[in-house]
Amino acid sequence: DYFIEYELRAWIDDYDNRRFIESDILKNIWYAFKRNNIIMPYPTNEVVNHFAHEDVHDESEMITILNKVKFFSGFHEDTLREIAKLVKKKVYGKGETLFYKGEKGDSFFIIYKGKVNIIIDSEVVANLKKGDFFGEMSLFTGKERTATVETAEDSEFIVLDKEGFGKILSKDTEIAEHISKVIAER
């Protein structure tokens, strides 16, 4: 009644580090479940408010954050309010990969908390921190990711996907011009 049991098997060559590897695997599963709103069942009573959702956030706080990001600076407050309604917060644990170089991209990330490493050909080429953003090229052009992004510590991101971004672009052509300039500068 209170659980579903799964078994995961992993084969490793470095048995001496088994406990560290096992810990990393379990931690990554925990964060993946959290991102996807999967809750581990356990015997308890829970009151669920069907109007609440993990991605619900304070709109004014989100507008303040968006205003600080160069990608969105200068947008009209109504536009920022619409974007604030479309974004989602996602959490990742230290060492998790958000995406790999060459993957098809459809989302833009703002670092809300934490740090990430930008990796190209196994070399860290940049470190980004709170307030920095990445993924704009894939979101804007639909091209493949040009780098791998991995968390350097437990992190939280504000994510805007292509569908939401398309809704914003369709309403205001000046936004596309502004974003093109920011991308060209970067």
Side-chain angles (χ1 to χ4, degrees):
D1 288 345
Y2 298 107
F3 69 93
I4 300 172
E5 188 172 328
Y6 291 94
E7 185 173 317
L8 173 69
R9 294 182 183 197
W11 282 260
I12 59 171
D13 295 327
D14 189 3
Y15 193 77
D16 291 339
N17 287 318
R18 178 183 61 85
R19 292 194 190 278
F20 297 111
I21 294 168
E22 182 180 84
S23 174
D24 286 346
I25 290 170
L26 293 174
K27 179 179 69 171
N28 288 340
I29 291 170
W30 185 85
Y31 275 106
F33 279 16
K34 186 171 174 96
R35 276 192 302 280
N36 291 288
N37 299 319
I38 298 171
I39 299 168
M40 289 291 130
Y42 53 92
T44 185
N45 291 327
E46 185 176 358
V47 177
V48 178
N49 178 352
H50 291 281
F51 299 103
H53 189 271
E54 184 177 303
D55 290 329
V56 172
H57 42 266
D58 180 21
E59 188 178 288
S60 61
E61 176 195 17
M62 197 57 60
I63 290 170
T64 301
I65 292 166
L66 294 171
N67 248 328
K68 292 179 182 176
V69 176
K70 188 174 185 178
F71 197 75
F72 298 111
S73 65
F75 281 20
H76 190 273
E77 188 167 336
D78 290 340
T79 302
L80 291 175
R81 186 171 287 110
E82 285 185 52
I83 295 170
K85 291 176 185 174
L86 296 170
V87 297
K88 295 180 177 159
K89 285 186 181 177
K90 299 287 182 181
V91 294
Y92 287 80
K94 179 181 179 180
E96 280 197 88
T97 303
L98 278 75
F99 53 79
Y100 291 94
K101 179 180 177 181
E103 285 184 353
K104 185 169 174 64
D106 65 352
S107 51
F108 169 82
F109 295 79
I110 300 167
I111 303 173
Y112 182 66
K113 294 178 185 171
K115 296 178 184 174
V116 298
N117 294 323
I118 308 299
I119 303 166
I120 298 177
D121 300 327
S122 301
E123 184 178 330
V124 176
V125 296
N127 306 101
L128 303 179
K129 61 187 180 332
K130 181 178 179 174
D132 289 334
F133 63 90
F134 56 93
E136 71 279 5
M137 290 300 291
S138 291
L139 177 68
F140 200 57
T141 66
K143 292 187 177 181
E144 293 178 345
R145 303 286 189 185
T146 58
T148 297
V149 177
E150 183 179 281
T151 55
E153 61 188 43
D154 290 353
S155 300
E156 190 170 339
F157 303 92
I158 297 167
V159 183
L160 177 63
D161 64 20
K162 192 170 193 151
E163 182 181 332
F165 185 67
K167 290 177 185 177
I168 300 301
L169 279 180
S170 67
K171 292 182 180 183
D172 190 345
T173 56
E174 289 180 19
I175 292 173
E177 291 175 28
H178 170 77
I179 292 173
S180 294
K181 289 177 186 174
V182 172
I183 290 174
E185 288 175 16
R186 234 167 117 109

